[in-house]
Amino acid sequence: MKNEILGIHHITAIAGNAKRNYDFYTGILGLRLIKKTVNFDDPHTYHFYYGDEKGTPGSILTFFPWEGIQTGRRGTKQVTEIGYSVPAGSLEFWQNRLEAHNVIYNKPAVKFGERYLTFLDPDGLKFELTEAKVKDNRAQWATDAVNKAHAIHGFHHITITTNKMEGTAAVLTHIFGYKLAESEVNRHRFITDAVEQAAIVDLVEAPGEAIGHVGGGSVHHVAFRVKDEATLMYFRDKIVELGLNITEKIDRNYFYSLYFREPGGVLFEIATDNPGFTVDESLEELGSNLKLPAQYESIREEIEGILPQLS
C-alpha cells in the first residue's frame, strides 16, 4: 500500500465547562463518547473523545475542557470551522433541533453546490452541517433523539483561515497529496482522492484579517490520518526535508502522533489508525470508564476526586 495521508484523523478543540460540553455533544448532537480520559500534560483535566460507534478515524472530535478558560477569538492562523457530513434532507431536522435547544445557528445556505447549516457550540466553536454531493455511506451512531435519517456521519471538511495561503497549500499538495478542486471568491477547496470522506480542507485567504487567539471555543489542532507507524515516519522525513520543525513519535495510547506547525501557523498532527480505541475497553464499553495514561494510575483516586461528575 502507498504511503498516503488518508484525510482527517481527528480534531482537538478547547472547551470550558466539562459537563456542558458532554451534554451538548452526546445529547444535542447525538455523538458517542468513545473515550473518557485525561490530558497527558494536565491529568486533572478531562480529555473527551466523541465519534461514531467505533471511534473511526475521520469521525473523532476531542476536547480539553478547562473550567473558566478565556474565550478564544476566530481569526487567521487557525482552523475556524469544522464541517460534519449529514444525510441528504436532514438540515430541516437539525435547524428545528438547534432552535429547540437555543443553539445559535444560521439558516441553510449553499457552498460549492452543497447545502449546509452553520451553528455554534456552547463555547462558540463554529460548525457546519453539510449535505454532501457524494452519498456518505459511513456508519452512524444513532440515538433515540437523533436517528440514522439525521445522524452525523463524521467529518466533511475543515476550514483554515490564513493571511497568505501559499505555504499551507504547499504542505497540502506537495506533502499530503491534496489537489485544488475549486474556488469561490477567497475560499479554496483542496481534496485528497486517497479516501472518499473526511477528505476536504478549505483554505480561506484573508490578507487583512487579524490573527486569531486560541482559547475556549477554538480548535487546538487538526490531525491527519495514516495507516501505521511506518507511514507516520515516512511523512516525518518529508516534513524534515521541507525544513519544518516536527516532534519525535509520541504514543497517545490510541494512536501514535507527530506534531508540527505548518507555514500558515496552524498546529498539524499526523496520527495512525493503530492501535485504536478498543485497546483498553471493549466496543460495548467505550467511553463508560475513566481511562488513565499509565503514569497517572498511581494517583487515580486523587484525579477522580477532582474531575467533575458528568451525570
Side-chain angles (χ1 to χ4, degrees):
M1 186 179 290
K2 294 187 294 184
N3 291 313
E4 294 180 305
I5 294 290
L6 303 173
I8 301 166
H9 184 281
H10 70 269
I11 299 166
T12 295
I14 299 171
N17 182 270
K19 188 176 189 309
R20 181 180 66 184
N21 180 269
Y22 169 80
D23 289 346
F24 183 82
Y25 286 94
T26 61
I28 295 176
L29 292 193
L31 301 176
R32 184 180 189 185
L33 179 67
I34 57 171
K35 196 64 61 178
K36 180 172 59 175
T37 182
V38 296
N39 187 314
F40 268 80
D41 302 314
D42 179 8
H44 298 132
T45 299
Y46 278 121
H47 190 180
F48 295 146
Y49 291 74
Y50 304 105
D52 63 10
E53 180 184 16
K54 300 178 182 178
T56 307
S59 77
I60 309 158
L61 178 63
T62 98
F63 282 93
F64 302 132
W66 278 300
E67 187 70 40
I69 191 168
Q70 180 181 353
T71 301
R73 182 185 68 249
R74 278 189 299 279
T76 60
K77 300 190 175 184
Q78 282 189 334
V79 174
T80 49
E81 298 162 350
I82 298 171
Y84 272 128
S85 169
V86 294
S90 67
L91 289 188
E92 284 66 33
F93 164 87
W94 282 109
Q95 181 176 338
N96 292 335
R97 182 164 180 78
L98 295 172
E99 187 166 345
H101 287 88
N102 299 311
V103 176
I104 297 171
Y105 73 92
N106 289 329
K107 291 182 179 180
V110 176
K111 179 168 57 189
F112 293 120
E114 297 174 320
R115 294 180 73 231
Y116 72 98
L117 180 157
T118 301
F119 71 91
L120 303 179
D121 87 346
D123 290 288
L125 188 61
K126 187 178 180 182
F127 287 86
E128 293 181 352
L129 301 178
T130 298
E131 297 177 351
K133 296 176 189 174
V134 179
K135 183 175 173 58
D136 193 333
N137 293 313
R138 288 178 291 177
Q140 302 147 285
W141 177 252
T143 67
D144 290 342
V146 184
N147 62 33
K148 288 193 175 182
H150 310 113
I152 290 168
H153 287 283
F155 296 129
H156 177 267
H157 71 279
I158 59 164
T159 298
I160 293 172
T161 301
T162 181
N163 296 119
K164 186 177 181 180
M165 64 180 259
E166 182 180 2
T168 309
V171 170
L172 290 175
T173 56
H174 301 332
I175 306 297
F176 284 4
Y178 283 70
K179 297 176 183 177
L180 177 61
E182 50 190 330
S183 298
E184 288 186 354
V185 194
N186 66 333
R187 180 179 290 265
H188 309 276
R189 175 151 289 186
F190 291 79
I191 299 178
T192 176
D193 58 8
V195 287
E196 291 186 351
Q197 309 295 344
I200 299 170
V201 177
D202 283 356
L203 298 186
V204 172
E205 191 170 48
E209 188 166 330
I211 296 171
H213 170 73
V214 174
S218 300
V219 171
H220 185 268
H221 64 267
V222 57
F224 292 86
R225 177 186 179 189
V226 294
K227 66 181 188 299
D228 56 26
E229 294 162 76
T231 312
L232 186 74
M233 300 313 288
Y234 167 84
F235 280 102
R236 187 181 190 281
D237 291 341
K238 299 285 283 184
I239 299 300
V240 170
E241 288 174 9
L242 198 63
L244 298 176
N245 293 322
I246 187 166
T247 66
E248 299 295 333
K249 181 177 72 173
I250 300 173
D251 182 353
R252 292 304 192 194
N253 286 3
Y254 311 112
F255 42 86
Y256 295 92
S257 293
L258 301 168
Y259 298 85
F260 70 99
R261 202 165 288 278
E262 55 83 23
V266 176
L267 184 60
F268 277 6
E269 178 182 356
I270 306 174
T272 64
D273 283 359
N274 64 296
F277 292 98
T278 55
V279 69
D280 58 2
E281 288 180 297
S282 69
L283 180 63
E284 294 72 26
E285 290 179 313
L286 285 179
S288 59
N289 306 293
L290 177 64
K291 309 305 293 185
L292 298 179
Q295 65 266 35
Y296 298 129
E297 278 293 350
S298 62
I299 57 169
R300 173 177 283 273
E301 185 174 343
E302 173 191 325
I303 290 171
E304 290 180 337
I306 291 173
L307 292 175
Q309 296 296 309
L310 300 180
S311 58

